[in-house]
Amino acid sequence: MCFHPMGETVFWLKLLYQLGLLCFFSFYFWIGGIAIFQG
């Protein structure tokens, strides 16, 4: 059985990083949209 904890860790870190960016930009545009909508 071949297991690479380092590769596994990097994979999860990349996944979490991408999810974090997605949430951040979604939140950013949501706030921006509300600001524009309220004038």
Side-chain angles (χ1 to χ4, degrees):
M1 186 173 173
C2 194
F3 183 67
H4 300 283
M6 199 61 208
E8 197 80 6
T9 302
V10 171
F11 170 77
W12 282 111
L13 282 176
K14 282 183 181 177
L15 192 68
L16 285 172
Y17 179 70
Q18 289 175 354
L19 283 173
L21 279 181
L22 192 68
C23 290
F24 175 75
F25 280 116
S26 296
F27 185 71
Y28 185 76
F29 284 120
W30 180 66
I31 292 296
I34 289 175
I36 291 170
F37 183 71
Q38 290 180 343

